[in-house]
Amino acid sequence: MSRPELVIIGNGMVGQSLLEALVAVDHGYNITVFCEEPRPAYDRVQLSSWFSGSTTEDLALTTTAFFDEHGITLRLGERVERIDREAGTVVSSNGDTLPYDKLVLATGSYPFVPPIPGNDQPHCLVYRTIEDLEAIRDSAAESKRGVVIGGGLLGLEAAKALKDLGLDTHVVEFAPRLMAVQLDEGGARLLRRKIEALGVQVHTSKATQQIVAGDACRYRLEFADGESLDTDMVLFSAGIRPADALAREAGLEVGERGGVVIDNRCCTSDPSIFAIGEVALWSGRIYGLVAPGYEMARICAAHLTGDTARGFEGADMSTKLKLLGVEVGSIGDAHGMTPGATSCVFEDGPAGIYKKLVIDESGKKLLGAVLVGDTADYGMLLQYCLNDMKLPEQAASLILPAGADKPALGVDALPDTAQICSCNNVSKGDLCGAIASGCTTVGGLKSETKAASTCGGCAALVKQVLDAELVRQGIEVNNHVCEHFAYSRQELYHLVRVHGIRTFDELLAQFGQGRGCDLCKPTVASILASCWNEFLLKPEHAGLQDTNDYFLANLQKDGTYSVVPRVPGGEITPQKLIVIGEVAQKYDLYTKITGGQRIDMFGARVEQLPLIWGELIEAGFESGHAYGKSLRTVKSCVGSTWCRYGVQDSVAMAIFVEQRYRGLRSPHKLKMAVSGCTRECAEAQSKDVGVIATEKGWNLYVCGNGGMRPRHAELFASDLDDQTLIRYIDRFLMFYIQTADRLQRTSVWRDNLEGGLEYLQDVIIHDSLGIAEELETQMQAVVDTYVCEWKRTVEDAEAVKRFNAFVNDDTPDEHIVYVRERGQKRPARPEEKKGEPA
Amino acid sequence: MNIKANVVGWEDICAATDIVRGTGAAARVSGMQVAVFHTDDGFFALGNYDPFSDANVLARGIVGDIGGKLVVASPVYKQHFCLHTGICLEDMSVSVPVWPVTVRDGRILIAAQPAAA
């Protein structure tokens, strides 16, 4: 039986979210997606970051690989021209006719351009798609001044873009204040002051009547009040309109002012056709925010797959964001329109903070709030508002500066149904469930429930729920390394640094108890190495090392080891390749190319290791540290030296980075990569530290990894020169080494940092803790004291002695048995070893 | 119980200084592989064979104490074996043999046969 046909028109943020919800279940459809734009879904909320360093790739929310993987047909750059409801077909701009059993309209909206004479000239632009951004960039290159028409949320985002492009930026608003929908008079006044202080001129109560040729600039805006403003370019950002033309022509019910009417199932007036996102009109409302769109996508996916339990119930339009660097928040009835509503206001002019609460007649409930300049209270106030919670006696205390007897929101008071993360619809009950089943860190909750993983606005609240719930459930969390030390790894690190402790015995005597174990010994060994960088196999350190570090090789299942010489940046001479081949052949080692652009040689017995390394060192190789919790490899592409597309010498940079950080001991292994252009052939975005060349320098990405829970690295800083790049990596790595838990990769570490990426950027880039110099000095000390461990070992007769198979005998372990397979040896399986004594 | 009391014959293995304090080394005793450990609490010897990984590796484990019991952790899958009894802490039904050890004139001596379980 053939599968029913599902056609989805539109692949914006909401359309993509629908696809993700569908592929997560057994949806049973043949899916075709029409995407009018030349690329699949990208993050429209973050558009303005395109002008401050993010690339089109950074904004991407999906790739064509997603469609291939899930067997979804993606028709890129193709519109649907017509819906034939009687025939149950759609006709595309390529002239194809496709049947549908179910159809979803996720066509979104288009920018509203006011009907002003002269609005259709060149350099009169809108702000919605990547193509719009490219047009804005090109126009800005020929302009000195730019005007944004529209002082709402999107208009101010657009103003940031123009400012980032270096234009003399003006905002023209028809209403008497900025962000008239979200802010009251007082909040808007402060926002205006702050924005003007940043050099953006604001003109309110201005009705533009026509755009004519200018004198000083290309154009002149003439206002109804007789004034005018000259500008080289005009950017319209005066609101959005639902893209409902297809639905209108097909005779679906639409609202008076546009929007396809949907019911609680997201179903239109035709039971086979659904509509979601900004094109949909639910209960007389269009939701221009992404979170309600995502909720519609979830509901729509559920109903398409027969799960009819839930319906769309409307969405809260409260928002919190940063506009031109100014924090702005608006909750519920911000204007106090509810009959009987009263308000209380806190304003600190010099500090640039304005906060207002709108309270109901009884004085018990919060109806809304306005926050400008400081949105720290947003999460707490939103919960009061959404859950009808009783306000404290002195409601005003909620918006007073911290310290002044400010009551903390008892998250215990929140009902289980309270929505904590609106982006991913995670309730307090969901969080508590995850905590009860073993998630005891913010990072754990993020990956388990997705809470705080999109915009991050609820991170503080998630932490509060976590802390309160742990106390309530009587779960004691301690991050002590083990029973021998009542300290976390970070605390042990500081004890070692501050007290200048050089050995495990010293640390145990002063701060621990018992004898130590296989948890604390390697942890302390790593800390000592990060701090003092002494030879691992000195007698006082030898017993602390995991077997990999003890034998400077990787233990395999049969008790033998593998050997990985360093191949910096993956660049190797033919002569060295020959040496590896000869050594592998001589000792009969199984060889395999690794993912990190090196060669791994398996099946070396302990007593063979110094012999093998003697030959490798003779040929100029050094330890690859594949065995350590330390820097593994720095992968690279060939870069500008050979590649037609390369813009920087990625190989030289990779080699420099690998040689700088080789041997650095850290809480977990570290992987890095350098790509020579934005095509990213070195896969730097899957590494702890990823470097990608740009025309102007290097973009730095941090905290990615592959493995069990793959995670993309995040853009940390853009267009860095060589020196700044290395300084940031120095600081980043040392800060990680100082503060991470045992065996915590950078991604998990970052997820558990309160304040997340922004905090990390503050510490590393803006030196908010005043430790940047110290971090650099500490890193330089490690770099300066680097010695190849294997070179040191083979030159040390006492150290070599420890590699003997037996302390009283030279014959190899008879229990290690190999068979041949595909031209190489491999460990014999137990049944193949039968008859041989254990 | 003093497991050294019933030892019939001792084999001379190596000098006490041949094994760095805090580490272990493999030795052959009457044809069997033994893991000898030099700890702050003296010398211990267990079978070198790790029943969980089917490899002769216990001499390469980290020694320490867990809940007051002196142990070595298998370097492969990290199970802990008691240095006194050879019993696995994670699975008491599994154990490795224990050899009596003594030090005489700076030499490590190990019993020719493991102690009876």
Side-chain angles (χ1 to χ4, degrees):
Chain A
M1 202 184 76
S2 69
R3 295 169 148 233
E5 297 290 334
L6 172 63
V7 173
I8 300 171
I9 309 177
N11 186 234
M13 299 177 78
V14 171
Q16 179 63 25
S17 159
L18 172 66
L19 291 176
E20 278 163 17
L22 284 171
V23 301
V25 295
D26 188 12
H27 60 75
Y29 287 99
N30 254 343
I31 304 181
T32 303
V33 176
F34 285 91
C35 178
E36 182 181 320
E37 292 189 48
R39 61 182 64 77
Y42 53 89
D43 190 347
R44 252 187 259 280
V45 175
Q46 305 289 340
L47 273 193
S48 71
S49 70
W50 195 79
F51 293 104
S52 52
S54 291
T55 62
T56 301
E57 287 73 25
D58 293 333
L59 292 176
L61 292 174
T62 185
T63 60
T64 51
F66 168 86
F67 294 86
D68 294 344
E69 187 187 327
H70 296 287
I72 299 171
T73 309
L74 172 64
R75 291 179 162 237
L76 268 190
E78 193 174 344
R79 299 169 46 86
V80 168
E81 298 286 358
R82 202 157 50 77
I83 303 170
D84 185 339
R85 289 166 55 199
E86 265 182 36
T89 58
V90 295
V91 180
S92 84
S93 51
N94 288 4
D96 292 345
T97 300
L98 269 77
Y100 68 80
D101 294 292
K102 298 284 181 199
L103 179 66
V104 179
L105 301 172
T107 47
S109 59
Y110 61 90
F112 169 64
V113 177
I116 301 168
N119 66 8
D120 54 353
Q121 306 176 70
H123 302 283
C124 291
L125 306 167
V126 295
Y127 180 80
R128 179 163 179 90
T129 65
I130 301 253
E131 282 64 36
D132 294 336
L133 302 185
E134 289 167 352
I136 291 167
R137 181 195 56 200
D138 295 346
S139 170
E142 304 168 30
S143 302
K144 288 202 171 68
R145 178 181 286 180
V147 168
V148 176
I149 296 192
L153 198 155
L154 275 175
L156 295 179
E157 278 286 318
K160 175 175 190 313
L162 296 193
K163 194 167 170 295
D164 284 339
L165 286 166
L167 296 189
D168 171 18
T169 306
H170 294 248
V171 173
V172 170
E173 168 59 43
F174 177 76
R177 61 176 188 268
L178 294 172
M179 292 187 71
V181 179
Q182 293 90 355
L183 299 186
D184 66 337
E185 180 76 42
R189 196 169 51 228
L190 176 63
L191 177 64
R192 175 180 187 148
R193 206 185 84 204
K194 294 191 136 198
I195 287 176
E196 290 192 328
L198 294 167
V200 174
Q201 296 304 308
V202 177
H203 312 262
T204 49
S205 300
K206 296 285 182 211
T208 311
Q209 288 205 307
Q210 57 176 340
I211 304 171
V212 297
D215 290 334
C217 301
R218 193 176 287 134
Y219 301 126
R220 170 171 299 162
L221 305 181
E222 293 190 339
F223 302 127
D225 61 5
E227 291 188 17
S228 66
L229 176 64
D230 273 23
T231 183
D232 294 311
M233 69 178 293
V234 180
L235 196 48
F236 290 103
S237 190
I240 54 168
R241 295 289 180 269
D244 57 8
L246 271 178
R248 275 175 198 277
E249 284 160 23
L252 293 176
E253 188 186 348
V254 292
E256 231 172 86
R257 272 175 277 161
V260 183
V261 174
I262 58 165
D263 60 15
N264 292 356
R265 300 169 299 159
C266 297
C267 197
T268 67
S269 55
D270 179 334
S272 302
I273 306 181
F274 292 75
I276 54 175
E278 289 176 338
V279 73
L281 182 74
W282 179 85
S283 192
R285 296 196 69 165
I286 298 248
Y287 290 97
L289 294 178
V290 73
Y294 284 170
E295 174 67 3
M296 287 183 198
R298 283 187 288 263
I299 300 287
C300 180
H303 283 271
L304 281 170
T305 52
D307 170 7
T308 57
R310 233 157 46 85
F312 186 70
E313 296 170 339
D316 178 60
M317 293 293 279
S318 302
T319 40
K320 180 182 112 166
L321 65 169
K322 224 176 191 174
L323 289 168
L324 287 150
V326 182
E327 292 183 359
V328 175
S330 169
I331 294 173
D333 179 10
H335 299 294
M337 306 295 278
T338 312
T342 59
S343 64
C344 53
V345 173
F346 168 80
E347 186 162 12
D348 182 344
I353 294 170
Y354 176 91
K355 303 178 186 181
K356 183 178 83 170
L357 298 182
V358 177
I359 298 166
D360 78 340
E361 220 171 350
S362 70
K364 301 255 166 64
K365 278 182 188 169
L366 187 66
L367 298 171
V370 174
L371 304 168
V372 177
D374 174 8
T375 53
D377 298 327
Y378 177 86
M380 169 191 71
L381 295 177
L382 183 63
Q383 292 301 331
Y384 272 109
C385 190
L386 291 182
N387 300 299
D388 287 337
M389 290 164 63
K390 189 171 172 295
L391 286 170
E393 208 63 32
Q394 299 288 325
S397 60
L398 290 174
I399 48 174
L400 291 177
D405 291 335
K406 187 173 177 136
L409 169 71
V411 284
D412 278 336
L414 289 177
D416 271 358
T417 52
Q419 190 187 49
I420 305 293
C421 170
S422 58
C423 296
N424 296 296
N425 190 26
V426 182
S427 68
K428 181 190 166 194
D430 297 334
L431 290 175
C432 295
I435 295 164
S437 67
C439 281
T440 55
T441 63
V442 172
L445 280 177
K446 276 188 195 171
S447 49
E448 189 64 29
T449 67
K450 290 208 167 151
S453 61
T454 302
C455 79
C458 60
L461 204 55
V462 169
K463 175 84 165 63
Q464 287 174 33
V465 171
L466 173 65
D467 291 345
E469 194 58 17
L470 289 175
V471 171
R472 207 183 61 76
Q473 297 188 358
I475 301 171
E476 195 183 328
V477 196
N478 76 46
N479 50 3
H480 300 169
V481 166
C482 65
E483 66 182 65
H484 304 101
F485 291 97
Y487 297 98
S488 68
R489 181 192 170 279
Q490 179 178 356
E491 289 163 339
L492 287 181
Y493 181 94
H494 285 290
L495 291 174
V496 167
R497 275 270 183 213
V498 172
H499 296 273
I501 290 170
R502 295 266 173 173
T503 67
F504 178 83
D505 287 349
E506 257 180 87
L507 187 69
L508 189 69
Q510 287 186 47
F511 300 101
Q513 55 186 345
R515 307 286 194 274
C517 68
D518 55 313
L519 298 181
C520 60
K521 283 183 171 180
T523 302
V524 172
S526 166
I527 292 172
L528 292 171
S530 296
C531 289
W532 318 121
N533 211 18
E534 292 182 341
F535 182 45
L536 256 51
L537 301 187
K538 279 174 85 168
E540 60 268 40
H541 303 318
L544 310 177
Q545 312 296 344
D546 261 325
T547 190
N548 281 9
D549 275 319
Y550 188 93
F551 290 112
L552 306 169
N554 292 48
L555 177 69
Q556 302 300 328
K557 63 189 289 185
D558 65 344
T560 64
Y561 291 80
S562 79
V563 172
V564 187
R566 186 166 296 289
V567 180
E571 182 187 84
I572 186 165
T573 62
Q575 186 50 45
K576 281 191 164 173
L577 270 178
I578 290 168
V579 171
I580 288 184
E582 284 173 347
V583 168
Q585 199 159 39
K586 176 169 173 186
Y587 293 92
D588 189 22
L589 303 176
Y590 167 87
T591 56
K592 187 165 190 315
I593 312 281
T594 72
Q597 303 186 331
R598 334 200 256 189
I599 298 169
D600 207 340
M601 294 175 267
F602 290 77
R605 298 189 307 272
V606 278
E607 67 272 18
Q608 292 178 314
L609 289 170
L611 303 172
I612 291 169
W613 271 105
E615 298 193 24
L616 291 172
I617 283 164
E618 183 73 17
F621 283 103
E622 58 176 14
S623 168
H625 296 95
Y627 45 81
K629 304 298 177 209
S630 56
L631 174 68
R632 299 289 170 85
T633 81
V634 183
K635 190 173 173 176
S636 74
C637 65
V638 287
S640 57
T641 314
W642 289 93
C643 178
R644 287 174 293 156
Y645 305 110
V647 293
Q648 306 279 354
D649 187 350
S650 46
V651 177
M653 179 54 81
I655 293 172
F656 181 84
V657 170
E658 183 156 346
Q659 291 186 333
R660 182 168 182 81
Y661 303 115
R662 62 189 169 183
L664 172 71
R665 257 35 189 212
S666 51
H668 209 311
K669 63 186 172 188
L670 288 167
K671 296 185 175 188
M672 306 190 191
V674 182
S675 275
C677 81
T678 178
R679 282 169 186 75
E680 241 286 69
C681 295
E683 298 168 328
Q685 287 168 95
S686 65
K687 306 296 184 206
D688 296 280
V689 174
V691 178
I692 302 178
T694 69
E695 299 279 352
K696 296 182 216 156
W698 306 97
N699 281 355
L700 174 60
Y701 290 75
V702 296
C703 302
N705 60 245
M708 189 163 62
R709 284 186 187 275
R711 179 193 155 107
H712 274 133
E714 292 165 289
L715 179 64
F716 188 73
S718 307
D719 294 326
L720 304 174
D721 58 39
D722 292 6
Q723 290 73 26
T724 313
L725 173 73
I726 297 302
R727 284 221 318 273
Y728 286 177
I729 301 177
D730 275 8
R731 296 175 186 178
F732 169 78
L733 290 176
M734 254 312 159
F735 190 56
Y736 163 63
I737 288 169
Q738 279 195 1
T739 57
D741 259 340
R742 190 179 80 87
L743 299 186
Q744 193 176 43
R745 288 291 295 267
T746 55
S747 61
V748 180
W749 167 69
R750 174 244 176 273
D751 276 348
N752 281 295
L753 275 185
E754 267 181 71
L757 187 70
E758 220 169 291
Y759 169 74
L760 201 52
Q761 286 167 326
D762 279 345
V763 173
I764 305 303
I765 300 173
H766 310 300
D767 194 15
S768 59
L769 299 180
I771 56 170
E773 200 185 323
E774 174 191 319
L775 294 174
E776 285 176 35
T777 309
Q778 290 171 353
M779 181 61 80
Q780 195 57 47
V782 173
V783 172
D784 292 342
T785 50
Y786 168 80
V787 175
C788 170
E789 289 155 2
W790 264 114
K791 186 162 194 296
R792 167 78 210 264
T793 301
V794 296
E795 287 167 354
D796 181 339
E798 278 303 305
V800 169
K801 246 174 68 180
R802 270 179 257 146
F803 289 82
N804 290 341
F806 298 96
V807 72
N808 60 349
D809 189 278
D810 288 336
T811 54
D813 179 0
E814 62 286 348
H815 191 57
I816 299 171
V817 182
Y818 292 102
V819 295
R820 312 300 291 184
E821 189 172 271
R822 294 187 295 276
Q824 301 200 65
K825 74 177 181 185
R826 70 152 168 83
R829 302 192 183 99
E831 65 271 19
E832 293 166 326
K833 277 197 214 176
K834 257 189 221 143
E836 168 260 337
Chain B
M1 182 190 78
N2 184 358
I3 60 169
K4 294 173 192 173
N6 303 324
V7 171
V8 184
W10 294 98
E11 284 193 26
D12 182 316
I13 302 300
C14 60
T17 51
D18 285 343
I19 303 177
V20 176
R21 190 179 59 85
T23 73
R28 287 195 191 270
V29 180
S30 304
M32 284 190 274
Q33 291 198 26
V34 178
V36 192
F37 301 100
H38 182 175
T39 76
D40 291 342
D41 303 274
F43 289 84
F44 295 88
L46 302 180
N48 194 30
Y49 180 76
D50 173 9
F52 292 98
S53 64
D54 182 32
N56 292 307
V57 292
L58 286 188
R60 305 178 213 156
I62 291 176
V63 291
D65 67 333
I66 301 286
K69 280 196 170 69
L70 294 178
V71 294
V72 60
S74 161
V76 185
Y77 300 120
K78 318 296 178 193
Q79 290 90 354
H80 298 91
F81 296 90
C82 174
L83 292 181
H84 286 288
T85 64
I87 294 172
C88 172
L89 268 55
E90 284 79 13
D91 181 352
M92 305 264 287
S93 70
V94 177
S95 67
V96 296
V98 180
W99 272 262
V101 191
T102 192
V103 178
R104 215 175 283 159
D105 303 330
R107 302 290 300 176
I108 299 174
L109 308 183
I110 295 183
Q113 296 300 322

